[in-house]
Amino acid sequence: MGYRVLLVVFLLLVCTENNIVQRAAEDYFPLREGSWWQYANQSDTVLVEVEPQDTILQVPCFPVSYNGVPAYLVKHDDAVSQYIRTVYNHAGSDHTVMENFVVRIELPLIEGNAYQHLLSDSIYVASQLIKAVYELTGLVVGYADETGYGNVYEINLTTIESITTPDTVIADTNEVTEYYAPGIGMVRFQEAASEYHLIEYNIP
Amino acid sequence: MFVYMLFAISIGIEGGYNIPAVGFQNIHTGTTVSLCADRNMGIVDLTLSVQTSFLTGDNPSYTLNATGLRLGMYKGNWLISPVLAVGGDYINRGLNQSSETGFAAAYTIGALINFKINRLRIYPKVYYDGLTDFKEHAGFLGLRMGIAYGI
């Protein structure tokens, strides 16, 4: 009788798609120098590369190149943060209105975790108050078991970046859905109508 | 558990401290409490225990709880005895207001030192507590102090 109960428990554990130990133990965001991931949709490819560590605002961070366009990321115990810099151009010269790190993904990933982080700052340019706001809203939608990857998390990220001048407000909204697999990182992302899938990667 | 305890020769309680040893990169430290019922089966002593572990993350808002049953064995008449146990845990991990749950198979490998004073048995125990969902394995190193009273 006892061994039958153990067998049922064993089969339940093996057959389940809920691999909580995998989700609790594995690194879903391996951010190491030399790592790269290549994604493709039907007509385009994106290469994401982690470059040698740099320091911005006295914070050691990794430049992560997205097809040559760098984003500066830093991984802490509680989050992956991204360097944000907002520039206002006046009379041909650039003025930095705001620069700082903002949380992009709260760690560890937990289904249902919703968060919002905000950066805001202002400066005077030619006696005019210029205000910048960067707002990031994240939601860990959930996880699903995917063959070859294990439990993959889906994360919705919405960013609203705005500059307010005495005359106008310029706002840019961006929505992206990213999918993260244990030990690999992002395996898929959807931006606008495009969906990119991981086709090749290397994590040293 | 209750029926087993009725026929048990000793009941006890253990408490201790865990640190992650394999996997669990987001876990900092944790504490464990367990209630045990032991019975001598001739060659070995069997122990049935209910244990709960509460672990805190490197992110202070992150917690992981594992509660489950273990069926283990040890040698009560040896001064230093190996400890083996298997069982299952219900795991709850939470961040801020969100949480997710699941089941995992669990096992314990370690050693304890028996100190006996009449019916009282006091035993420090060092062990490795492993968890697996058969896709990934992770575990903790732990140190516990147990006290058991022979009925």
Side-chain angles (χ1 to χ4, degrees):
Chain A
M1 181 65 187
Y3 75 90
R4 287 182 189 159
V5 173
L6 284 174
L7 186 64
V8 169
V9 170
F10 176 79
L11 288 174
L12 279 173
L13 279 168
V14 168
C15 297
T16 184
E17 294 188 346
N18 178 0
N19 301 115
I20 194 160
V21 177
Q22 183 182 56
R23 297 198 305 280
E26 287 258 27
D27 185 4
Y28 276 79
F29 210 97
L31 188 62
R32 291 197 281 277
E33 182 185 336
S35 303
W36 57 264
W37 300 262
Q38 189 166 28
Y39 306 90
N41 68 1
Q42 284 152 350
S43 59
D44 195 13
T45 61
V46 174
L47 180 65
V48 178
E49 287 177 285
V50 182
E51 294 172 1
Q53 201 173 49
D54 202 347
T55 300
I56 294 180
L57 301 175
Q58 298 181 321
V59 176
C61 57
F62 284 105
V64 180
S65 160
Y66 293 82
N67 270 357
V69 179
Y72 296 86
L73 301 180
V74 59
K75 186 177 172 186
H76 295 294
D77 291 332
D78 58 351
V80 173
S81 298
Q82 182 177 359
Y83 171 72
I84 299 296
R85 180 170 178 243
T86 304
V87 172
Y88 174 70
N89 186 281
H90 178 76
S93 59
D94 286 340
H95 302 267
T96 299
V97 184
M98 174 181 76
E99 64 173 331
N100 210 336
F101 284 86
V102 66
V103 168
R104 179 172 167 77
I105 295 173
E106 286 192 353
L107 297 177
L109 299 176
I110 299 282
E111 181 179 39
N113 185 36
Y115 52 91
Q116 192 169 46
H117 295 274
L118 188 78
L119 285 180
S120 71
D121 208 343
S122 58
I123 58 167
Y124 279 94
V125 177
S127 303
Q128 290 189 321
L129 181 67
I130 310 298
K131 188 179 177 189
V133 176
Y134 185 92
E135 185 182 324
L136 184 141
T137 306
L139 171 65
V140 182
V141 178
Y143 60 86
D145 196 57
E146 294 190 14
T147 309
Y149 291 140
N151 282 183
V152 172
Y153 277 102
E154 176 184 347
I155 307 170
N156 284 347
L157 297 167
T158 304
T159 56
I160 303 169
E161 193 170 4
S162 66
I163 290 188
T164 306
T165 68
D167 307 324
T168 184
V169 176
I170 302 165
D172 181 31
T173 302
N174 183 45
E175 286 182 29
V176 62
T177 302
E178 298 177 347
Y179 298 82
Y180 287 86
I184 298 173
M186 191 167 68
V187 293
R188 197 161 71 249
F189 66 95
Q190 287 173 310
E191 210 167 15
S194 264
E195 180 168 300
Y196 288 82
H197 293 261
L198 183 69
I199 52 171
E200 211 176 350
Y201 70 96
N202 175 56
I203 298 168
Chain B
M1 179 75 181
F2 180 71
V3 174
Y4 187 89
M5 283 178 73
L6 285 179
F7 297 100
I9 61 161
S10 75
I11 53 172
I13 187 166
E14 297 176 359
Y17 188 74
N18 282 349
I19 54 166
V22 177
F24 292 129
Q25 297 176 30
N26 295 306
I27 296 292
H28 188 234
T29 53
T31 52
T32 300
V33 175
S34 94
L35 291 171
C36 329
D38 299 353
R39 186 173 185 180
N40 184 270
M41 301 298 283
I43 302 170
V44 294
D45 292 85
L46 287 185
T47 178
L48 186 65
S49 61
V50 179
Q51 78 167 47
T52 184
S53 301
F54 179 81
L55 301 123
T56 53
D58 293 325
N59 177 350
S61 304
Y62 177 54
T63 58
L64 188 145
N65 280 285
T67 302
L69 279 172
R70 297 277 196 286
L71 180 62
M73 62 178 78
Y74 67 97
K75 285 287 284 181
N77 56 355
W78 290 2
L79 176 62
I80 298 173
S81 163
V83 177
L84 292 171
V86 292
D89 274 1
Y90 171 75
I91 298 175
N92 180 301
R93 52 196 296 261
L95 179 69
N96 302 324
Q97 305 302 315
S98 305
S99 66
E100 52 186 50
T101 58
F103 289 93
Y107 59 90
T108 304
I109 302 167
L112 60 80
I113 304 174
N114 285 305
F115 297 104
K116 289 182 179 171
I117 308 162
N118 297 326
R119 291 185 168 192
L120 204 63
R121 187 170 67 91
I122 297 167
Y123 53 98
K125 182 157 90 174
V126 289
Y127 58 91
Y128 174 78
D129 216 3
L131 291 170
T132 180
D133 53 21
F134 299 101
K135 273 206 173 171
E136 183 63 40
H137 162 265
F140 306 97
L141 282 175
L143 179 64
R144 265 187 229 179
M145 183 61 79
I147 184 164
Y149 183 78
I151 297 168

